[in-house]
Amino acid sequence: MLVEDLIHQFKLVKDKNPLDVNELLDYIQKSYIDGELCIVEYKKLFFELNKRGAQKPDSFLYKQHLKAN
């Protein structure tokens, strides 16, 4: 799946345009967790969105760090 396909799918499901690449990242993560995306597709989309500047908010990363310690 290409990012353009992802945007089209997002529009169909959410009935709106994504606000930014971070919203698309959230969407693919939920889709992966729900079993709608396989790991190969998830990784491809993740790396492409990451190249386009997608990232989790600092507060999310901080919470994940706290859970690990």
Short mmCIF file of all heavy atoms in Angstrom, two decimals:
data_model
loop_
_atom_site.label_atom_id
_atom_site.label_comp_id
_atom_site.label_asym_id
_atom_site.label_seq_id
_atom_site.Cartn_x
_atom_site.Cartn_y
_atom_site.Cartn_z
N MET A 1 0.85 -1.18 0.00
CA MET A 1 0.00 0.00 0.00
C MET A 1 0.89 1.24 0.00
O MET A 1 1.86 1.32 0.74
CB MET A 1 -0.90 0.00 1.25
CG MET A 1 -1.77 1.23 1.35
SD MET A 1 -2.75 1.39 2.88
CE MET A 1 -3.67 -0.10 2.93
N LEU A 2 0.55 2.19 -0.82
CA LEU A 2 1.25 3.45 -0.88
C LEU A 2 0.60 4.45 0.06
O LEU A 2 -0.55 4.28 0.47
CB LEU A 2 1.22 4.01 -2.30
CG LEU A 2 1.83 3.14 -3.40
CD1 LEU A 2 1.53 3.74 -4.77
CD2 LEU A 2 3.32 3.00 -3.19
N VAL A 3 1.32 5.50 0.40
CA VAL A 3 0.77 6.53 1.28
C VAL A 3 -0.48 7.16 0.66
O VAL A 3 -1.44 7.46 1.36
CB VAL A 3 1.83 7.59 1.62
CG1 VAL A 3 1.23 8.75 2.38
CG2 VAL A 3 2.96 6.98 2.44
N GLU A 4 -0.48 7.31 -0.65
CA GLU A 4 -1.65 7.86 -1.32
C GLU A 4 -2.87 6.96 -1.12
O GLU A 4 -3.98 7.45 -0.91
CB GLU A 4 -1.38 8.08 -2.82
CG GLU A 4 -0.39 9.18 -3.11
CD GLU A 4 1.06 8.81 -2.81
OE1 GLU A 4 1.40 7.60 -2.74
OE2 GLU A 4 1.85 9.76 -2.61
N ASP A 5 -2.66 5.65 -1.17
CA ASP A 5 -3.74 4.69 -0.91
C ASP A 5 -4.20 4.79 0.55
O ASP A 5 -5.38 4.70 0.85
CB ASP A 5 -3.29 3.26 -1.20
CG ASP A 5 -2.93 3.05 -2.66
OD1 ASP A 5 -3.54 3.70 -3.54
OD2 ASP A 5 -2.01 2.24 -2.92
N LEU A 6 -3.23 4.96 1.44
CA LEU A 6 -3.54 5.11 2.86
C LEU A 6 -4.42 6.35 3.08
O LEU A 6 -5.41 6.30 3.81
CB LEU A 6 -2.25 5.22 3.67
CG LEU A 6 -2.42 5.55 5.16
CD1 LEU A 6 -3.17 4.43 5.88
CD2 LEU A 6 -1.06 5.80 5.79
N ILE A 7 -4.07 7.45 2.45
CA ILE A 7 -4.85 8.68 2.59
C ILE A 7 -6.27 8.47 2.07
O ILE A 7 -7.24 8.88 2.72
CB ILE A 7 -4.16 9.85 1.86
CG1 ILE A 7 -2.85 10.21 2.58
CG2 ILE A 7 -5.08 11.07 1.78
CD1 ILE A 7 -1.96 11.16 1.80
N HIS A 8 -6.40 7.79 0.94
CA HIS A 8 -7.72 7.51 0.38
C HIS A 8 -8.54 6.65 1.35
O HIS A 8 -9.71 6.93 1.61
CB HIS A 8 -7.58 6.82 -0.97
CG HIS A 8 -8.88 6.45 -1.59
ND1 HIS A 8 -9.74 7.39 -2.12
CD2 HIS A 8 -9.48 5.25 -1.76
CE1 HIS A 8 -10.82 6.78 -2.58
NE2 HIS A 8 -10.68 5.48 -2.37
N GLN A 9 -7.91 5.60 1.90
CA GLN A 9 -8.59 4.72 2.86
C GLN A 9 -9.00 5.51 4.11
O GLN A 9 -10.10 5.34 4.63
CB GLN A 9 -7.69 3.56 3.24
CG GLN A 9 -8.31 2.59 4.21
CD GLN A 9 -7.38 1.45 4.58
OE1 GLN A 9 -6.32 1.27 3.99
NE2 GLN A 9 -7.76 0.68 5.57
N PHE A 10 -8.10 6.37 4.59
CA PHE A 10 -8.39 7.19 5.76
C PHE A 10 -9.62 8.05 5.50
O PHE A 10 -10.51 8.14 6.35
CB PHE A 10 -7.18 8.09 6.06
CG PHE A 10 -7.35 8.97 7.27
CD1 PHE A 10 -6.89 8.56 8.50
CD2 PHE A 10 -7.97 10.21 7.18
CE1 PHE A 10 -7.04 9.37 9.63
CE2 PHE A 10 -8.13 11.02 8.28
CZ PHE A 10 -7.68 10.60 9.51
N LYS A 11 -9.68 8.67 4.32
CA LYS A 11 -10.83 9.52 3.97
C LYS A 11 -12.13 8.73 3.95
O LYS A 11 -13.16 9.21 4.42
CB LYS A 11 -10.62 10.17 2.61
CG LYS A 11 -9.58 11.26 2.59
CD LYS A 11 -9.42 11.79 1.17
CE LYS A 11 -8.33 12.81 1.05
NZ LYS A 11 -8.17 13.29 -0.34
N LEU A 12 -12.08 7.51 3.42
CA LEU A 12 -13.28 6.68 3.36
C LEU A 12 -13.77 6.29 4.76
O LEU A 12 -14.96 6.33 5.04
CB LEU A 12 -13.02 5.40 2.56
CG LEU A 12 -12.85 5.57 1.05
CD1 LEU A 12 -12.44 4.24 0.42
CD2 LEU A 12 -14.13 6.09 0.43
N VAL A 13 -12.84 5.92 5.62
CA VAL A 13 -13.20 5.45 6.96
C VAL A 13 -13.58 6.61 7.88
O VAL A 13 -14.58 6.55 8.59
CB VAL A 13 -12.04 4.63 7.58
CG1 VAL A 13 -12.29 4.31 9.03
CG2 VAL A 13 -11.81 3.36 6.77
N LYS A 14 -12.79 7.66 7.87
CA LYS A 14 -12.98 8.77 8.80
C LYS A 14 -13.90 9.87 8.26
O LYS A 14 -14.30 10.76 9.01
CB LYS A 14 -11.63 9.41 9.16
CG LYS A 14 -10.65 8.47 9.82
CD LYS A 14 -11.01 8.27 11.26
CE LYS A 14 -9.90 7.52 11.97
NZ LYS A 14 -10.14 7.41 13.38
N ASP A 15 -14.17 9.84 6.96
CA ASP A 15 -15.01 10.84 6.31
C ASP A 15 -14.43 12.26 6.46
O ASP A 15 -15.16 13.23 6.66
CB ASP A 15 -16.45 10.79 6.83
CG ASP A 15 -17.44 11.46 5.89
OD1 ASP A 15 -17.18 11.47 4.66
OD2 ASP A 15 -18.46 11.98 6.38
N LYS A 16 -13.11 12.34 6.42
CA LYS A 16 -12.41 13.63 6.47
C LYS A 16 -10.99 13.42 5.98
O LYS A 16 -10.51 12.29 5.88
CB LYS A 16 -12.39 14.19 7.89
CG LYS A 16 -11.55 13.40 8.86
CD LYS A 16 -11.45 14.08 10.22
CE LYS A 16 -10.40 13.38 11.06
NZ LYS A 16 -9.48 14.30 11.68
N ASN A 17 -10.32 14.51 5.67
CA ASN A 17 -8.92 14.44 5.28
C ASN A 17 -8.06 14.35 6.54
O ASN A 17 -8.41 14.93 7.57
CB ASN A 17 -8.52 15.69 4.50
CG ASN A 17 -9.12 15.73 3.12
OD1 ASN A 17 -9.26 14.71 2.47
ND2 ASN A 17 -9.48 16.92 2.67
N PRO A 18 -6.94 13.65 6.45
CA PRO A 18 -6.04 13.63 7.61
C PRO A 18 -5.45 15.03 7.84
O PRO A 18 -5.16 15.74 6.89
CB PRO A 18 -4.95 12.63 7.21
CG PRO A 18 -5.02 12.53 5.73
CD PRO A 18 -6.42 12.86 5.34
N LEU A 19 -5.29 15.40 9.09
CA LEU A 19 -4.75 16.71 9.41
C LEU A 19 -3.26 16.79 9.09
O LEU A 19 -2.77 17.84 8.65
CB LEU A 19 -4.96 17.02 10.90
CG LEU A 19 -6.41 17.11 11.36
CD1 LEU A 19 -6.48 17.28 12.87
CD2 LEU A 19 -7.11 18.26 10.65
N ASP A 20 -2.54 15.69 9.32
CA ASP A 20 -1.09 15.67 9.08
C ASP A 20 -0.61 14.22 9.07
O ASP A 20 -1.40 13.29 9.25
CB ASP A 20 -0.36 16.48 10.14
CG ASP A 20 -0.68 16.06 11.57
OD1 ASP A 20 -1.09 14.91 11.78
OD2 ASP A 20 -0.52 16.90 12.48
N VAL A 21 0.70 14.05 8.89
CA VAL A 21 1.25 12.69 8.84
C VAL A 21 1.17 12.00 10.20
O VAL A 21 1.11 10.78 10.27
CB VAL A 21 2.70 12.68 8.31
CG1 VAL A 21 2.75 13.00 6.84
CG2 VAL A 21 3.60 13.59 9.11
N ASN A 22 1.13 12.77 11.27
CA ASN A 22 1.01 12.16 12.60
C ASN A 22 -0.35 11.48 12.78
O ASN A 22 -0.45 10.43 13.40
CB ASN A 22 1.22 13.21 13.70
CG ASN A 22 2.64 13.73 13.72
OD1 ASN A 22 3.57 13.01 13.40
ND2 ASN A 22 2.80 14.99 14.06
N GLU A 23 -1.38 12.07 12.20
CA GLU A 23 -2.71 11.45 12.27
C GLU A 23 -2.72 10.15 11.46
O GLU A 23 -3.33 9.17 11.87
CB GLU A 23 -3.78 12.42 11.78
CG GLU A 23 -5.18 11.92 12.03
CD GLU A 23 -6.25 12.95 11.78
OE1 GLU A 23 -6.04 13.89 10.99
OE2 GLU A 23 -7.34 12.78 12.36
N LEU A 24 -2.01 10.14 10.34
CA LEU A 24 -1.89 8.91 9.56
C LEU A 24 -1.11 7.84 10.33
O LEU A 24 -1.44 6.66 10.28
CB LEU A 24 -1.23 9.18 8.21
CG LEU A 24 -2.06 9.97 7.21
CD1 LEU A 24 -1.21 10.35 6.01
CD2 LEU A 24 -3.28 9.18 6.78
N LEU A 25 -0.08 8.26 11.05
CA LEU A 25 0.68 7.33 11.87
C LEU A 25 -0.21 6.69 12.93
O LEU A 25 -0.19 5.48 13.13
CB LEU A 25 1.87 8.03 12.52
CG LEU A 25 2.76 7.20 13.43
CD1 LEU A 25 3.35 6.00 12.69
CD2 LEU A 25 3.86 8.06 14.03
N ASP A 26 -1.00 7.50 13.60
CA ASP A 26 -1.95 6.97 14.59
C ASP A 26 -2.90 5.97 13.95
O ASP A 26 -3.20 4.92 14.51
CB ASP A 26 -2.77 8.09 15.22
CG ASP A 26 -1.94 9.02 16.09
OD1 ASP A 26 -0.83 8.63 16.51
OD2 ASP A 26 -2.42 10.14 16.35
N TYR A 27 -3.36 6.29 12.75
CA TYR A 27 -4.31 5.45 12.02
C TYR A 27 -3.69 4.09 11.68
O TYR A 27 -4.32 3.05 11.89
CB TYR A 27 -4.78 6.17 10.77
CG TYR A 27 -5.77 5.40 9.95
CD1 TYR A 27 -7.09 5.24 10.39
CD2 TYR A 27 -5.41 4.82 8.74
CE1 TYR A 27 -8.01 4.53 9.63
CE2 TYR A 27 -6.32 4.11 7.99
CZ TYR A 27 -7.61 3.96 8.44
OH TYR A 27 -8.53 3.25 7.70
N ILE A 28 -2.45 4.08 11.18
CA ILE A 28 -1.85 2.79 10.82
C ILE A 28 -1.52 1.98 12.06
O ILE A 28 -1.60 0.75 12.04
CB ILE A 28 -0.62 2.90 9.88
CG1 ILE A 28 0.55 3.58 10.56
CG2 ILE A 28 -1.00 3.55 8.57
CD1 ILE A 28 1.88 3.35 9.85
N GLN A 29 -1.18 2.64 13.16
CA GLN A 29 -0.90 1.90 14.38
C GLN A 29 -2.16 1.21 14.89
O GLN A 29 -2.12 0.05 15.27
CB GLN A 29 -0.29 2.83 15.44
CG GLN A 29 1.12 3.21 15.08
CD GLN A 29 1.74 4.19 16.03
OE1 GLN A 29 1.06 5.00 16.64
NE2 GLN A 29 3.05 4.13 16.15
N LYS A 30 -3.26 1.93 14.87
CA LYS A 30 -4.53 1.33 15.27
C LYS A 30 -4.92 0.19 14.33
O LYS A 30 -5.37 -0.86 14.75
CB LYS A 30 -5.64 2.37 15.33
CG LYS A 30 -6.96 1.79 15.82
CD LYS A 30 -8.03 2.84 15.89
CE LYS A 30 -9.37 2.31 16.36
NZ LYS A 30 -9.75 0.99 15.96
N SER A 31 -4.73 0.41 13.03
CA SER A 31 -5.05 -0.62 12.04
C SER A 31 -4.21 -1.88 12.25
O SER A 31 -4.71 -3.00 12.12
CB SER A 31 -4.83 -0.09 10.62
OG SER A 31 -5.72 0.96 10.34
N TYR A 32 -2.95 -1.70 12.60
CA TYR A 32 -2.08 -2.85 12.86
C TYR A 32 -2.54 -3.59 14.12
O TYR A 32 -2.67 -4.82 14.12
CB TYR A 32 -0.63 -2.41 12.99
CG TYR A 32 0.28 -3.53 13.41
CD1 TYR A 32 0.54 -4.58 12.53
CD2 TYR A 32 0.84 -3.58 14.67
CE1 TYR A 32 1.34 -5.64 12.91
CE2 TYR A 32 1.64 -4.63 15.06
CZ TYR A 32 1.89 -5.66 14.17
OH TYR A 32 2.68 -6.71 14.56
N ILE A 33 -2.82 -2.86 15.17
CA ILE A 33 -3.27 -3.47 16.43
C ILE A 33 -4.58 -4.22 16.23
O ILE A 33 -4.78 -5.31 16.78
CB ILE A 33 -3.41 -2.39 17.53
CG1 ILE A 33 -2.02 -1.91 17.93
CG2 ILE A 33 -4.17 -2.93 18.74
CD1 ILE A 33 -2.02 -0.67 18.79
N ASP A 34 -5.47 -3.66 15.41
CA ASP A 34 -6.77 -4.29 15.14
C ASP A 34 -6.67 -5.43 14.13
O ASP A 34 -7.68 -6.06 13.80
CB ASP A 34 -7.77 -3.24 14.63
CG ASP A 34 -8.17 -2.24 15.69
OD1 ASP A 34 -7.92 -2.49 16.89
OD2 ASP A 34 -8.73 -1.18 15.33
N GLY A 35 -5.47 -5.70 13.61
CA GLY A 35 -5.28 -6.80 12.67
C GLY A 35 -5.68 -6.48 11.25
O GLY A 35 -5.81 -7.37 10.42
N GLU A 36 -5.84 -5.20 10.95
CA GLU A 36 -6.24 -4.79 9.60
C GLU A 36 -5.04 -4.59 8.68
O GLU A 36 -5.20 -4.56 7.46
CB GLU A 36 -7.06 -3.50 9.67
CG GLU A 36 -8.35 -3.67 10.45
CD GLU A 36 -9.02 -2.37 10.82
OE1 GLU A 36 -8.52 -1.29 10.44
OE2 GLU A 36 -10.04 -2.42 11.51
N LEU A 37 -3.85 -4.46 9.26
CA LEU A 37 -2.60 -4.33 8.49
C LEU A 37 -1.64 -5.40 8.96
O LEU A 37 -1.50 -5.62 10.16
CB LEU A 37 -1.94 -2.97 8.77
CG LEU A 37 -2.31 -1.75 7.96
CD1 LEU A 37 -1.51 -0.54 8.43
CD2 LEU A 37 -2.13 -1.96 6.49
N CYS A 38 -0.96 -6.04 8.01
CA CYS A 38 0.08 -7.00 8.39
C CYS A 38 1.35 -6.22 8.74
O CYS A 38 1.48 -5.03 8.42
CB CYS A 38 0.34 -7.99 7.26
SG CYS A 38 1.15 -7.27 5.82
N ILE A 39 2.28 -6.88 9.36
CA ILE A 39 3.50 -6.22 9.82
C ILE A 39 4.31 -5.65 8.66
O ILE A 39 4.91 -4.59 8.78
CB ILE A 39 4.37 -7.17 10.69
CG1 ILE A 39 5.53 -6.43 11.35
CG2 ILE A 39 4.88 -8.35 9.87
CD1 ILE A 39 5.13 -5.41 12.37
N VAL A 40 4.31 -6.33 7.52
CA VAL A 40 5.07 -5.85 6.36
C VAL A 40 4.51 -4.52 5.87
O VAL A 40 5.26 -3.56 5.63
CB VAL A 40 5.08 -6.91 5.23
CG1 VAL A 40 5.72 -6.37 3.97
CG2 VAL A 40 5.78 -8.18 5.71
N GLU A 41 3.18 -4.45 5.72
CA GLU A 41 2.55 -3.21 5.27
C GLU A 41 2.73 -2.10 6.31
O GLU A 41 3.00 -0.95 5.97
CB GLU A 41 1.06 -3.42 5.00
CG GLU A 41 0.77 -4.20 3.75
CD GLU A 41 1.22 -3.47 2.50
OE1 GLU A 41 0.99 -2.25 2.37
OE2 GLU A 41 1.84 -4.14 1.65
N TYR A 42 2.59 -2.47 7.58
CA TYR A 42 2.76 -1.48 8.64
C TYR A 42 4.15 -0.87 8.60
O TYR A 42 4.32 0.35 8.66
CB TYR A 42 2.51 -2.11 10.02
CG TYR A 42 2.84 -1.19 11.14
CD1 TYR A 42 1.96 -0.18 11.53
CD2 TYR A 42 4.06 -1.29 11.81
CE1 TYR A 42 2.29 0.70 12.55
CE2 TYR A 42 4.39 -0.42 12.84
CZ TYR A 42 3.50 0.57 13.20
OH TYR A 42 3.84 1.44 14.20
N LYS A 43 5.17 -1.72 8.49
CA LYS A 43 6.55 -1.23 8.46
C LYS A 43 6.79 -0.33 7.26
O LYS A 43 7.45 0.71 7.38
CB LYS A 43 7.55 -2.39 8.45
CG LYS A 43 7.73 -3.03 9.79
CD LYS A 43 8.79 -4.11 9.70
CE LYS A 43 9.10 -4.67 11.06
NZ LYS A 43 10.21 -5.63 11.02
N LYS A 44 6.29 -0.72 6.09
CA LYS A 44 6.47 0.10 4.89
C LYS A 44 5.86 1.48 5.09
O LYS A 44 6.49 2.50 4.82
CB LYS A 44 5.84 -0.56 3.66
CG LYS A 44 6.67 -1.61 3.00
CD LYS A 44 6.12 -1.91 1.62
CE LYS A 44 5.43 -3.25 1.62
NZ LYS A 44 4.91 -3.63 0.30
N LEU A 45 4.62 1.49 5.57
CA LEU A 45 3.93 2.76 5.78
C LEU A 45 4.59 3.57 6.90
O LEU A 45 4.75 4.79 6.79
CB LEU A 45 2.45 2.53 6.09
CG LEU A 45 1.62 2.03 4.91
CD1 LEU A 45 0.26 1.53 5.38
CD2 LEU A 45 1.46 3.14 3.87
N PHE A 46 5.00 2.89 7.97
CA PHE A 46 5.65 3.58 9.08
C PHE A 46 6.90 4.30 8.60
O PHE A 46 7.11 5.49 8.90
CB PHE A 46 6.01 2.61 10.20
CG PHE A 46 6.77 3.27 11.31
CD1 PHE A 46 6.10 3.93 12.32
CD2 PHE A 46 8.16 3.26 11.32
CE1 PHE A 46 6.80 4.56 13.34
CE2 PHE A 46 8.86 3.89 12.33
CZ PHE A 46 8.18 4.55 13.34
N PHE A 47 7.76 3.62 7.86
CA PHE A 47 9.00 4.23 7.41
C PHE A 47 8.74 5.38 6.43
O PHE A 47 9.44 6.39 6.47
CB PHE A 47 9.95 3.18 6.80
CG PHE A 47 10.57 2.30 7.85
CD1 PHE A 47 10.33 0.94 7.84
CD2 PHE A 47 11.37 2.82 8.85
CE1 PHE A 47 10.88 0.11 8.81
CE2 PHE A 47 11.93 2.01 9.82
CZ PHE A 47 11.69 0.65 9.80
N GLU A 48 7.74 5.22 5.58
CA GLU A 48 7.41 6.31 4.65
C GLU A 48 6.87 7.52 5.40
O GLU A 48 7.25 8.66 5.12
CB GLU A 48 6.39 5.83 3.61
CG GLU A 48 6.06 6.87 2.56
CD GLU A 48 7.26 7.36 1.77
OE1 GLU A 48 8.18 6.57 1.47
OE2 GLU A 48 7.29 8.57 1.44
N LEU A 49 5.99 7.30 6.36
CA LEU A 49 5.46 8.42 7.15
C LEU A 49 6.56 9.06 7.99
O LEU A 49 6.61 10.28 8.14
CB LEU A 49 4.30 7.95 8.03
CG LEU A 49 3.03 7.53 7.30
CD1 LEU A 49 2.04 6.92 8.28
CD2 LEU A 49 2.41 8.70 6.56
N ASN A 50 7.45 8.23 8.51
CA ASN A 50 8.57 8.75 9.29
C ASN A 50 9.47 9.64 8.43
O ASN A 50 9.92 10.69 8.88
CB ASN A 50 9.36 7.58 9.88
CG ASN A 50 10.42 8.04 10.84
OD1 ASN A 50 11.59 8.13 10.45
ND2 ASN A 50 10.04 8.32 12.07
N LYS A 51 9.72 9.23 7.18
CA LYS A 51 10.50 10.05 6.27
C LYS A 51 9.82 11.39 6.00
O LYS A 51 10.48 12.39 5.74
CB LYS A 51 10.72 9.34 4.92
CG LYS A 51 11.77 8.27 4.95
CD LYS A 51 12.21 7.84 3.57
CE LYS A 51 11.09 7.22 2.78
NZ LYS A 51 11.52 6.61 1.52
N ARG A 52 8.50 11.40 6.08
CA ARG A 52 7.72 12.62 5.84
C ARG A 52 7.54 13.44 7.11
O ARG A 52 6.82 14.43 7.11
CB ARG A 52 6.37 12.27 5.23
CG ARG A 52 6.49 11.65 3.85
CD ARG A 52 5.14 11.32 3.27
NE ARG A 52 5.28 10.61 2.01
CZ ARG A 52 4.38 10.67 1.05
NH1 ARG A 52 3.28 11.38 1.20
NH2 ARG A 52 4.57 10.00 -0.06
N GLY A 53 8.18 13.00 8.20
CA GLY A 53 8.19 13.79 9.42
C GLY A 53 7.23 13.36 10.52
O GLY A 53 7.10 14.05 11.53
N ALA A 54 6.56 12.23 10.37
CA ALA A 54 5.63 11.77 11.40
C ALA A 54 6.39 11.34 12.64
O ALA A 54 7.45 10.73 12.55
CB ALA A 54 4.79 10.61 10.88
N GLN A 55 5.84 11.69 13.79
CA GLN A 55 6.42 11.26 15.05
C GLN A 55 5.38 11.32 16.15
O GLN A 55 4.38 12.03 16.03
CB GLN A 55 7.63 12.10 15.41
CG GLN A 55 7.36 13.58 15.42
CD GLN A 55 8.61 14.38 15.70
OE1 GLN A 55 8.92 14.57 16.86
NE2 GLN A 55 9.31 14.79 14.68
N LYS A 56 5.61 10.53 17.18
CA LYS A 56 4.73 10.55 18.34
C LYS A 56 5.06 11.78 19.18
O LYS A 56 6.20 12.21 19.22
CB LYS A 56 4.91 9.29 19.18
CG LYS A 56 4.24 8.08 18.58
CD LYS A 56 2.76 8.30 18.62
CE LYS A 56 1.97 7.13 18.19
NZ LYS A 56 0.56 7.44 18.08
N PRO A 57 4.07 12.33 19.89
CA PRO A 57 4.35 13.47 20.76
C PRO A 57 5.33 13.09 21.86
O PRO A 57 5.41 11.93 22.27
CB PRO A 57 2.99 13.83 21.36
CG PRO A 57 2.00 12.92 20.76
CD PRO A 57 2.69 11.92 19.91
N ASP A 58 6.09 14.05 22.35
CA ASP A 58 7.07 13.80 23.40
C ASP A 58 6.44 13.17 24.63
O ASP A 58 7.03 12.31 25.27
CB ASP A 58 7.77 15.10 23.81
CG ASP A 58 8.71 15.60 22.72
OD1 ASP A 58 9.12 14.78 21.88
OD2 ASP A 58 9.01 16.80 22.72
N SER A 59 5.21 13.57 24.97
CA SER A 59 4.56 13.02 26.16
C SER A 59 4.33 11.52 26.00
O SER A 59 4.45 10.75 26.95
CB SER A 59 3.24 13.73 26.44
OG SER A 59 2.34 13.56 25.36
N PHE A 60 4.01 11.05 24.79
CA PHE A 60 3.83 9.63 24.54
C PHE A 60 5.15 8.89 24.74
O PHE A 60 5.21 7.86 25.39
CB PHE A 60 3.29 9.39 23.12
CG PHE A 60 3.19 7.94 22.77
CD1 PHE A 60 2.07 7.21 23.14
CD2 PHE A 60 4.19 7.29 22.07
CE1 PHE A 60 1.95 5.86 22.83
CE2 PHE A 60 4.09 5.95 21.75
CZ PHE A 60 2.97 5.23 22.13
N LEU A 61 6.21 9.43 24.17
CA LEU A 61 7.52 8.79 24.28
C LEU A 61 7.98 8.76 25.73
O LEU A 61 8.57 7.79 26.20
CB LEU A 61 8.54 9.51 23.40
CG LEU A 61 8.25 9.47 21.90
CD1 LEU A 61 9.24 10.34 21.15
CD2 LEU A 61 8.26 8.06 21.37
N TYR A 62 7.71 9.82 26.48
CA TYR A 62 8.08 9.88 27.88
C TYR A 62 7.33 8.82 28.69
O TYR A 62 7.92 8.11 29.50
CB TYR A 62 7.78 11.28 28.44
CG TYR A 62 8.13 11.43 29.90
CD1 TYR A 62 9.45 11.47 30.31
CD2 TYR A 62 7.13 11.53 30.85
CE1 TYR A 62 9.78 11.60 31.65
CE2 TYR A 62 7.45 11.66 32.20
CZ TYR A 62 8.77 11.69 32.59
OH TYR A 62 9.08 11.82 33.91
N LYS A 63 6.04 8.65 28.41
CA LYS A 63 5.24 7.63 29.11
C LYS A 63 5.76 6.23 28.80
O LYS A 63 5.83 5.38 29.67
CB LYS A 63 3.77 7.74 28.73
CG LYS A 63 3.08 8.95 29.33
CD LYS A 63 1.65 9.03 28.86
CE LYS A 63 1.00 10.32 29.30
NZ LYS A 63 -0.35 10.48 28.73
N GLN A 64 6.14 5.99 27.54
CA GLN A 64 6.67 4.69 27.15
C GLN A 64 8.00 4.41 27.87
O GLN A 64 8.26 3.30 28.30
CB GLN A 64 6.86 4.60 25.63
CG GLN A 64 5.56 4.65 24.86
CD GLN A 64 4.60 3.56 25.28
OE1 GLN A 64 4.98 2.40 25.42
NE2 GLN A 64 3.36 3.92 25.51
N HIS A 65 8.81 5.45 28.02
CA HIS A 65 10.08 5.31 28.72
C HIS A 65 9.84 4.96 30.20
O HIS A 65 10.53 4.11 30.76
CB HIS A 65 10.90 6.60 28.60
CG HIS A 65 12.18 6.56 29.36
ND1 HIS A 65 13.26 5.80 28.96
CD2 HIS A 65 12.58 7.18 30.50
CE1 HIS A 65 14.23 5.94 29.83
NE2 HIS A 65 13.85 6.79 30.77
N LEU A 66 8.87 5.60 30.80
CA LEU A 66 8.55 5.32 32.20
C LEU A 66 8.08 3.89 32.39
O LEU A 66 8.42 3.24 33.37
CB LEU A 66 7.49 6.30 32.72
CG LEU A 66 7.92 7.74 32.93
CD1 LEU A 66 6.74 8.58 33.38
CD2 LEU A 66 9.06 7.84 33.94
N LYS A 67 7.26 3.40 31.45
CA LYS A 67 6.76 2.01 31.55
C LYS A 67 7.91 1.00 31.45
O LYS A 67 7.87 -0.05 32.08
CB LYS A 67 5.75 1.73 30.45
CG LYS A 67 4.41 2.39 30.67
CD LYS A 67 3.47 2.04 29.54
CE LYS A 67 2.15 2.75 29.68
NZ LYS A 67 1.26 2.46 28.55
N ALA A 68 8.90 1.33 30.64
CA ALA A 68 10.02 0.40 30.42
C ALA A 68 10.94 0.32 31.63
O ALA A 68 11.63 -0.66 31.83
CB ALA A 68 10.82 0.83 29.19
N ASN A 69 10.96 1.36 32.43
CA ASN A 69 11.87 1.39 33.58
C ASN A 69 11.21 0.99 34.83
O ASN A 69 10.47 0.66 35.39
CB ASN A 69 12.48 2.78 33.76
CG ASN A 69 13.44 3.09 32.64
OD1 ASN A 69 14.11 2.21 32.14
ND2 ASN A 69 13.49 4.32 32.22
#
